[in-house]
Amino acid sequence: MTEPERRRTDRSPWNWLLLVPIVVPLLTFLYNRDEPRIGGFPLFYWLQFAFILLGVGTTTLVYQMTKRRRP
Amino acid sequence: MSEHLTEIIVFTVLFLLVSGMGFVASRWRQPKDMAHLDEWGLGGRSFGGWITWFLVGGDLYTAYTFVAVPALIFGAGAAGFFAVPYTVIIYPLFFLILIRLWSVSHRHGFVTPADFVRTRFDSPTLALVIAITGIVATMPYIALQLIGIEAVLKTMGVTGESTIARHLPIIVAFAILAAYTYQSGLRAPALIAFVKDTLIYIVILVAIIYLPYKLGGWNAIFDAADAKFQASPAPNDGITLNANNQVQYFTLALGSALALFLYPHSITGVLASKNRDVIKRNMSALPAYSLLLGLIALLGYMAIASGVKPLPGAKPGTVDSNTVVPVLFDQQFPSWFAGVAFAAIGIGALVPAAIMSIAAANLFTRNIYKEYLRKDATHAQEANVAKITSLVVKIGAVACIVFLDPQFSIDLQLIGGVIILQTAPAVVIGLYTRWLHRGALIAGWAAGMAIGFWMLWQIPNAATGRKHFGGSAFPLSEFGLDSTKTIYVGFVAVLVNALVAVIVTLVLRAASVQEGIDGTKDDDYFADEGDARLEQQRTTPVENVSST
């Protein structure tokens, strides 16, 4: 396999999306409440669990959109 | 002791099974030549997606997870849940950083972050500073793993009267761990991680279905916790945050997230993967462990609802809050399953302890031994020195536990977090730009360490009556601000560090102080598996090069 001559880069506008799951979980005013509860879980807990899905979804999307095509 | 016999038998059998695996691991994915640091210390840099997921997951989510986080939730409530936002933001935060570090490390054969800093900034001194910081931060982290094992042993009634008798089981466990890490290197924890993580997922799945069923549902669990915190005189507990600890909550989450991938053992796990794609895909897959961590944290509330009383601590009149989860399991589970759960925690401590000692050994070998003691060391000599160092590191960790008060496991880890954060400007910013001067990075590091230690020194702990190093929540009023809020020490220290680095850079540049030569090229930061230059350096050939 020969090394590609073109300049490689990780730059992509999709990368900016990664900021969303970094910033949102730090905004305590979004989730610092007890009500409404879901399945017995206060909002403070279920919403922060939901941020895990936000993180997974975002990194998966960015990975798929910026995949380097192999020669 | 007899009432815990079933637990002890199940625990011992699983522990011995895993120890056997640790020794066999040296033949797993056998390399051409084990006498090379790439093999012993990085598993041949050949791990694919699954192995990396188990290895890094088993590495980042340690005994700290199983013991200290629920203990914090048990004691303080919502403030302890920072572990969830912390482990959510890590992955998007390091998504782009880690692939650059992987590429440049493979192109140049770097084994440690200090190796990178040495070449990038042409400064053995800066590399030494980074290496020593890494080793010092890792030591209490290894000690923390031992506390996880001890909490379990204590619950099973395996205790003794004298200091030596009380610590004998962990000394034996660590001797076995030291022996198979010495022989198999990173392959041992990689193989054991499969068992550890499987056991833990089973235990937690059962716990979050079975325990709420027994305790009257999640509503009842949260209400019981709420009632406890309402009744307690402490101002900052509760099932939600209050006006004073929200800044602490998010700065601690952010600061801890920045720190985690700076730890030598995390970088070791990342560099052991075979290509960039493995890392990127794992950034999406590793949060499965964050879900697990959140659920484990809630075991603290289940312990409240179940009326758990933590076992007494080492000193009379104190309690060992780390025993909260083991006692909960002991009370609620049938004894054979409690034994499985205890084994999960015990083995859960071994995987990170092994990787941490390997990472510390790599740092010593590459950045102290080869740099200062024996510049012409061969690959075989490097591997040998690393193996011996890993033994020394483990003895040091055991000494920490025997001679220090185990009550402060989580704070020890938080102090380590403050220290390791001070390597961020050199390692993370250094991956993107060489603008910061090498001298300025050393000055910034010194400033960050100084203010970090000063702040930690100022923090008392009301609960334990200690005047210093009582936690990582620093009252803003100490800065002369009219506020009752607290902030995470590491966050302030790394900001000071970066600020000093910028100012000193401008000064040194104005004075035309030499900056050294950058040993890396722009293209190095994008190198990937399949590049001709990269494949030549591999000590273990990767079987399926074009798998994706």
Side-chain angles (χ1 to χ4, degrees), chain A residues 7 10 28 32 37 45 48, chain B residues 219 239 241 246 301 522:
Chain A
R7 276 180 79 82
D10 286 327
T28 51
N32 193 28
R37 291 193 178 191
Y45 300 90
Q48 292 194 77
Chain B
N219 246 324
I239 61 166
L241 301 170
Q246 291 190 35
Y301 287 157
D522 205 30

Side-chain angles (χ1 to χ4, degrees), chain A residues 3 7-8 10 21-22 26 28 31-32 34 37 39-42 45 48 51-52 59-60 63 68 70, chain B residues 85 88-89 107 218-219 222-223 239-241 246 249-250 276-277 281 284 291 298 301 522 526 531 548:
Chain A
E3 206 154 326
R7 276 180 79 82
R8 292 186 285 190
D10 286 327
I22 297 173
L26 298 178
T28 51
Y31 51 79
N32 193 28
D34 189 332
R37 291 193 178 191
F41 282 79
Y45 300 90
Q48 292 194 77
F51 292 156
I52 298 175
T59 46
T60 308
Y63 167 64
R68 208 186 269 173
R70 284 178 181 275
Chain B
V88 168
I89 64 177
R107 182 56 67 78
W218 286 103
N219 246 324
F222 283 108
D223 287 342
I239 61 166
T240 54
L241 301 170
Q246 291 190 35
Y249 189 84
F250 86 80
R276 297 178 126 224
D277 253 23
R281 278 184 277 134
S284 306
L291 176 65
L298 294 180
Y301 287 157
D522 205 30
F526 307 105
D531 291 4
T548 42

Side-chain angles (χ1 to χ4, degrees), chain B residues 49-378:
Chain B
W50 278 104
I51 303 175
T52 302
W53 187 71
F54 278 111
L55 179 71
V56 177
D59 184 13
L60 301 187
Y61 300 81
T62 66
Y64 159 68
T65 312
F66 305 106
V67 166
V69 171
L72 199 59
I73 294 257
F74 178 87
F81 209 64
F82 84 93
V84 170
Y86 156 35
T87 52
V88 168
I89 64 177
I90 291 172
Y91 302 107
L93 192 61
F94 278 89
F95 189 87
L96 297 166
I97 296 170
L98 289 179
I99 50 176
R100 281 178 79 87
L101 181 64
W102 185 93
S103 290
V104 73
S105 298
H106 273 231
R107 182 56 67 78
H108 290 271
F110 300 150
V111 180
T112 70
D115 280 349
F116 160 69
V117 167
R118 162 132 188 23
T119 305
R120 176 68 148 171
F121 293 100
D122 194 11
S123 170
T125 314
L126 182 58
L128 179 69
V129 161
I130 304 286
I132 290 176
T133 311
I135 293 169
V136 171
T138 305
M139 291 299 289
Y141 219 159
I142 302 176
L144 200 84
Q145 309 312 319
L146 285 155
I147 288 168
I149 304 182
E150 277 212 319
V152 167
L153 292 172
K154 203 188 246 183
T155 311
M156 290 195 294
V158 185
T159 52
E161 289 305 313
S162 69
T163 310
I164 294 298
R166 195 166 63 243
H167 295 291
L168 194 61
I170 58 159
I171 294 171
V172 172
F174 249 49
I176 298 172
L177 173 71
Y180 64 67
T181 310
Y182 182 90
Q183 188 187 330
S184 310
L186 195 63
R187 283 175 168 78
L191 197 56
I192 293 172
F194 283 97
V195 182
K196 174 228 158 181
D197 295 350
T198 308
L199 280 180
I200 281 164
Y201 275 105
I202 292 170
V203 168
I204 297 309
L205 214 59
V206 170
I208 60 155
I209 294 167
Y210 179 69
L211 292 181
Y213 162 76
K214 276 192 82 175
L215 298 170
W218 286 103
N219 246 324
I221 291 169
F222 283 108
D223 287 342
D226 197 24
K228 178 198 158 177
F229 295 130
Q230 297 283 355
S232 91
N236 283 333
D237 61 6
I239 61 166
T240 54
L241 301 170
N242 59 37
N244 291 334
N245 58 8
Q246 291 190 35
V247 174
Q248 164 72 9
Y249 189 84
F250 86 80
T251 53
L252 179 57
L254 181 59
S256 305
L258 259 173
L260 188 61
F261 272 116
L262 292 169
Y263 273 105
H265 64 275
S266 319
I267 292 176
T268 299
V270 168
L271 293 186
S273 55
K274 69 174 178 181
N275 61 33
R276 297 178 126 224
D277 253 23
V278 166
I279 297 171
K280 283 192 181 179
R281 278 184 277 134
N282 262 290
M283 295 294 109
S284 306
L286 281 167
Y289 286 93
S290 307
L291 176 65
L292 189 71
L293 173 56
L295 295 170
I296 289 169
L298 294 180
L299 291 175
Y301 287 157
M302 294 188 205
I304 294 176
S306 157
V308 164
K309 297 262 180 299
L311 297 176
K315 283 189 223 135
T318 60
V319 292
D320 181 358
S321 62
N322 289 326
T323 55
V324 163
V325 167
V327 170
L328 174 72
F329 288 165
D330 188 46
Q331 281 182 0
Q332 299 286 349
F333 284 145
S335 49
W336 70 271
F337 194 74
V340 173
F342 292 165
I345 297 174
I347 299 165
L350 297 183
V351 172
I355 305 172
M356 286 166 192
S357 65
I358 289 169
N362 288 348
L363 280 168
F364 174 80
T365 306
R366 297 281 300 194
N367 309 107
I368 296 173
Y369 172 74
K370 193 174 164 67
E371 186 72 58
Y372 293 99
L373 301 178
R374 195 177 187 126
K375 280 194 187 299
D376 58 347
T378 63

Side-chain angles (χ1 to χ4, degrees), chain B residues 381-392:
Chain B
Q381 281 169 330
E382 273 187 40
N384 210 24
V385 168
K387 287 163 95 170
I388 292 164
T389 311
S390 81
L391 295 181
V392 176

